[in-house]
Amino acid sequence: MLMAYMTWHEVKKHISEVNDNLIIPVATCEQHGYHLPLGNDTFIAEYMAGILSQRTKALVAPTMNYGVNLPCDVHLAGTTSIKPETLREMIISITDWWRQQGFRHFLLLTYHGDPFHLQAMKDISDDIKLYDLSEIEYSDILERQASIRHACEAETSVALYLYPEKVKMESVREHDIPFDDFRKYLFHEAGDLPEGYVGSLGYPSFATKDKGSRIIARMIDRMIDECYDFLKP
Ligand SMILES: [Zn+2]
């Protein structure tokens, strides 16, 4: 259930009678190569938040639409970033009000793996839990990659399963950069455009809807395992 569609009085009643925990999707506005939209991580975080809400009856807060992105992505139009401390401060500010109204636990749900994005949301307080949806085992589902990269075989498969109408497979441009060569970009130590970088890493041309359905099923299972107790009323 989306809190944005409810009145304050309905929210108050939900807190006292149904579930006093809150799911906060934390998205990002980030390029995803030539074939996926900037909202990719947003759509997936919101989809998963909806499933978790159905299972637990915890409300879903309005999505935080901006997150922390790689400095090298400044060269790819539309992408933007906030500072890690801004993200952290925003979470502290909004949960401070909600806590005073009776919300007890806050689950930050993200599908965006930038290390500084994740770090900014870790260990804020005991009643705030960060959950990274992308952290599952991929090796038995993917053919060409061993793990998730970016706008890759895994992410593109998920997109093909959840919103095929927005995926432009005919526009895929593939140029993989090995992890060690990309490391300085991933850890924000370099902000130039990496040689040959097209915005995706890995092998999106190997993506299929079927792999996406298996990845999503596994993501749901792990999310329920890891988050259900935290969101119990
Ligand atoms: Zn992504």
Side-chain angles (χ1 to χ4, degrees):
M1 275 177 96
L2 298 176
M3 192 164 76
Y5 293 154
M6 299 165 71
T7 67
W8 78 265
H9 201 252
E10 289 166 341
V11 173
K12 187 180 170 185
K13 219 168 151 215
H14 195 94
I15 293 172
S16 59
E17 293 173 15
V18 184
N19 193 315
D20 52 2
N21 302 309
L22 190 59
I23 301 163
I24 309 172
V26 184
T28 197
C29 181
E30 181 198 23
Q31 70 78 24
H32 276 76
Y34 279 79
H35 62 289
L36 295 180
L38 289 149
N40 183 71
D41 295 0
T42 310
F43 306 148
I44 292 163
E46 289 178 340
Y47 174 82
M48 297 296 282
I51 292 193
L52 194 52
S53 174
Q54 276 172 11
R55 301 272 185 103
T56 61
K57 303 284 180 276
L59 295 179
V60 179
T63 303
M64 292 176 58
N65 277 296
Y66 297 96
V68 182
N69 286 314
L70 305 184
C72 65
D73 281 358
V74 71
H75 304 287
L76 305 177
T79 307
T80 193
S81 185
I82 55 177
K83 296 188 181 85
E85 54 270 33
T86 308
L87 177 59
R88 195 174 180 88
E89 182 50 42
M90 199 166 152
I91 292 164
I92 292 170
S93 297
I94 60 180
T95 52
D96 180 45
W97 278 51
W98 287 330
R99 197 178 284 114
Q100 294 179 53
Q101 299 152 8
F103 281 112
R104 203 164 46 92
H105 287 148
F106 305 94
L107 182 79
L108 307 171
L109 203 59
T110 198
Y111 182 68
H112 178 52
D114 180 292
F116 292 84
H117 177 80
L118 296 174
Q119 187 58 39
M121 296 188 278
K122 266 183 198 151
D123 302 322
I124 296 179
S125 62
D126 287 346
D127 58 1
I128 301 177
K129 175 185 168 90
L130 169 66
Y131 185 70
D132 176 5
L133 291 159
S134 70
E135 245 190 60
I136 57 159
E137 180 57 45
Y138 293 93
S139 58
D140 59 321
I141 299 177
L142 303 179
E143 286 168 77
R144 189 71 175 79
Q145 297 173 208
S147 61
I148 191 168
R149 305 289 303 283
H150 182 67
C152 59
E153 184 183 359
E155 260 194 296
T156 307
S157 293
V158 167
L160 282 173
Y161 176 66
L162 289 187
Y163 63 93
E165 71 287 353
K166 295 191 187 72
V167 181
K168 301 177 173 67
M169 284 310 283
E170 68 283 3
S171 304
V172 163
R173 283 212 222 160
E174 213 161 61
H175 177 84
D176 194 28
I177 303 177
F179 182 81
D180 278 343
D181 295 343
F182 200 74
R183 196 183 184 90
K184 63 180 179 187
Y185 298 100
L186 181 65
F187 290 99
H188 297 205
E189 287 150 13
D192 58 312
L193 198 64
E195 177 82 35
Y197 183 48
V198 293
S200 59
L201 298 167
Y203 297 90
S205 63
F206 283 79
T208 67
K209 189 176 189 149
D210 176 62
K211 290 175 195 170
S213 119
R214 292 167 64 198
I215 292 169
I216 284 286
R218 189 167 293 177
M219 277 167 60
I220 291 172
D221 285 349
R222 182 166 180 267
M223 172 178 75
I224 300 295
D225 274 0
E226 300 276 328
C227 304
Y228 188 85
D229 283 350
F230 187 76
L231 292 175
K232 263 202 307 220

